Amino acid sequence: MSWRRVCGLVVTTVAVLAIAAGVVWIEGRDRFERPGPLPEQSVVFIPAGSGLVGIAQLLEDQNVIEDQRIFRVGVRVLGQARSLKAGEYAFPAKVSMRDALEILASGNVVVRRLTIVEGVTTREAISLIEAADGLEGVLTDLPPEGALLPETYHYRRGDSRQALLSRMTASRDKVLSELWEARAEGLPINTPEEAVVLASIVEKETGIADERGLVAGVFVNRLRKGMRLQSDPTVSYGITLGAGPLGRELRRSDLKKPSAYNTYVIKGLPPGPIANAGRAALEAVLNPETTSYLYFVADGTGGHAFAKSLKEHNRNVAKWRKFQRSGSK
């Protein structure tokens, strides 16, 4: 075979190979960029230290991508092998390999939420934190009653339970400090800690936003006059000590039973909070409504009937008891 013919065959072979490589590249690029097999949004957790091979295999196993080999090549060609970040990611339906790469490189992991509602006890809040999906670690430094700020907290999978709990106490301290500085003058509340105690009682007495300031005003009036607070929720807390709901109606004997938290027996505030009060309840206590009311009782609509005198209060109580009897028939 002549040298010229050999050269011709080499050129032809190279051309064929180049064309084949081009076809493969075009096909690979098309598969890398076209919609993938995922039928609906899926959340996938990428453990730390997975590496490109591990990530590609995991994505294929979770049906996010159809071919891990093409994904690996595409990532390397684009120079993104070191850009992929561990964490929990939400991949939309039909996500392409290119878009999956961009999601992993962005670091925009799934943000989870835990809501601590106003009026829960610290024990109840801790149970919620311990049960929250995605958090890690054991709670060791437990705060006292009333030390948390109820609200919605955001976290990421792998975050520490203790760190989240610390955020809740820090948020409470910050809000309390701000509200204490802006408190009304002449309140019968001497310390921020006393404000937390009274706010926890207000929180348990009413769940109606418009009533918090009024209920706080009633308790402030009673404190000023040296009257007992006579708050049912404090009696319940004295029985359960925050372990959970009482699970029954209070009895008259409960109201007479001596307890550090029974405000039908003791004068002034109980020795500590009976729940975790939200910002609104703390604000209501430190800036209560100016009112002449000294009493309130449930009115059957979810709210309360307020009274300035015991005589008027007794009439409201009679209405409430009549409502209870009619509802039990």
Side-chain angles (χ1 to χ4, degrees):
M1 183 180 295
S2 67
W3 175 251
R4 180 176 298 179
R5 188 174 180 184
V6 170
C7 290
L9 288 174
V10 170
V11 170
T12 301
T13 301
V14 170
V16 170
L17 291 175
I19 293 172
V23 170
V24 171
W25 166 250
I26 293 172
E27 172 64 18
R29 185 182 63 183
D30 178 66
R31 293 181 66 184
F32 188 72
E33 296 181 347
R34 73 190 182 193
L38 195 62
E40 59 185 17
Q41 177 175 293
S42 179
V43 175
V44 178
F45 177 64
I46 308 297
S50 296
L52 175 57
V53 174
I55 292 173
Q57 183 65 60
L58 181 59
L59 294 181
E60 184 179 86
D61 292 343
Q62 296 295 318
N63 204 35
V64 176
I65 61 175
E66 62 180 354
D67 192 325
Q68 60 161 313
R69 294 168 299 177
I70 293 177
F71 180 79
R72 295 202 310 266
V73 171
V75 171
R76 289 192 175 108
V77 167
L78 294 173
Q80 295 293 310
R82 295 182 179 276
S83 300
L84 308 186
K85 300 176 178 65
E88 190 174 32
Y89 295 89
F91 294 96
K94 304 298 181 182
V95 63
S96 69
M97 295 189 205
R98 174 180 280 278
D99 289 341
L101 162 61
E102 291 179 358
I103 289 172
L104 291 171
S106 72
N108 293 327
V109 297
V110 172
V111 177
R112 295 167 177 258
R113 296 171 177 82
L114 176 61
T115 298
I116 305 298
V117 299
E118 293 90 345
V120 301
T121 65
T122 294
R123 289 193 191 183
E124 291 169 336
I126 286 172
S127 295
L128 292 173
I129 296 172
E130 290 177 335
D133 186 40
L135 289 174
E136 296 181 357
V138 178
L139 293 173
T140 56
D141 186 12
L142 303 182
E145 192 70 83
L148 311 178
L149 183 70
E151 63 178 10
T152 296
Y153 292 87
H154 298 83
Y155 68 93
R156 298 176 178 182
R157 179 168 176 168
D159 283 356
S160 160
R161 287 187 173 87
Q162 192 66 54
L164 181 59
L165 185 63
S166 297
R167 282 169 53 197
M168 295 179 181
T169 58
S171 295
R172 198 298 307 264
D173 291 346
K174 180 180 179 181
V175 168
L176 179 59
S177 177
E178 292 173 357
L179 296 178
W180 180 256
E181 292 300 319
R183 70 189 183 280
E185 295 182 358
L187 293 175
I189 300 170
N190 300 313
T191 65
E193 290 72 26
E194 289 185 355
V196 172
V197 175
L198 187 55
S200 73
I201 299 174
V202 171
E203 196 72 87
K204 298 297 287 187
E205 283 285 5
T206 182
I208 299 178
D210 292 342
E211 280 193 352
R212 288 192 181 101
L214 203 54
V215 170
V218 170
F219 285 135
V220 165
N221 288 343
R222 294 180 74 90
L223 288 172
R224 282 175 174 151
K225 290 179 176 293
M227 300 172 66
R228 292 182 174 86
L229 296 184
Q230 296 183 324
S231 169
D232 288 0
T234 65
V235 181
S236 296
Y237 187 86
I239 298 172
T240 67
L241 295 179
L246 181 58
R248 62 171 175 81
E249 296 291 328
L250 282 174
R251 308 185 185 103
R252 289 191 177 184
S253 59
D254 294 326
L255 305 183
K256 298 178 182 179
K257 187 176 181 179
S259 163
Y261 288 89
N262 187 345
T263 54
Y264 283 84
V265 175
I266 67 169
K267 290 185 178 180
L269 295 169
I274 62 171
N276 289 285
R279 182 186 183 100
L282 290 166
E283 193 167 13
V285 164
L286 292 172
N287 287 277
E289 287 192 33
T290 301
T291 177
S292 299
Y293 292 136
L294 292 169
Y295 307 89
F296 62 89
V297 67
D299 62 4
T301 67
H304 294 84
F306 294 83
K308 299 177 183 179
S309 67
L310 182 58
K311 183 178 180 180
E312 183 183 3
H313 176 62
N314 287 336
R315 287 199 299 266
N316 291 335
V317 171
K319 291 178 182 178
W320 166 238
R321 289 176 177 167
K322 182 179 179 180
F323 174 82
Q324 285 182 304
R325 289 192 297 269
S326 64
S328 62
K329 292 180 181 179

